[in-house]
Amino acid sequence: MKPAGVVRKVDQLGRIVLPKSLRKRYQMNEGDPVEILVQGDHIILERYRPRCVFCSSMESVGEFKERYVCATCVKEMHGL
Ligand SMILES: [Zn+2]
């Protein structure tokens, strides 16, 4: 992890503006979901990608009855 070279102040509502250059670089557009992760004393922002409800994988995840399930778990459920 390295500094992005940007310091911003948190406003009274807890908001921080991400610089346009970072939004462009990481392809974050208005309305895109962003997940907030924590690691020790660090707060990490990631573009949201759904995780499998069973194994937390982000690979080959599909939606079934408003839940996300990966292809590997689907195969396991079918005994394959
Ligand atoms: Zn899974």
Side-chain angles (χ1 to χ4, degrees):
M1 207 176 330
K2 64 180 185 177
V6 178
V7 176
R8 291 287 162 99
K9 291 185 177 180
V10 178
D11 76 8
Q12 62 184 1
L13 296 177
R15 297 176 295 198
I16 302 167
V17 175
L18 295 174
K20 189 174 184 177
S21 60
L22 286 179
R23 284 181 276 142
K24 187 174 180 181
R25 179 174 170 186
Y26 292 98
Q27 301 171 350
M28 294 174 140
N29 300 305
E30 184 178 344
D32 286 350
V34 175
E35 188 167 24
I36 300 169
L37 308 169
V38 293
Q39 185 176 47
D41 59 351
H42 295 93
I43 300 170
I44 301 163
L45 302 177
E46 276 189 5
R47 276 181 286 144
Y48 176 72
R49 292 172 50 202
R51 295 174 190 266
C52 174
V53 294
F54 298 112
C55 71
S56 298
S57 171
M58 291 183 183
E59 299 299 321
S60 303
V61 175
E63 190 175 351
F64 179 71
K65 295 190 176 182
E66 299 181 15
R67 299 281 194 263
Y68 295 105
V69 184
C70 77
T72 303
C73 287
V74 169
K75 283 181 184 176
E76 280 187 42
M77 284 188 278
H78 288 97
L80 302 175

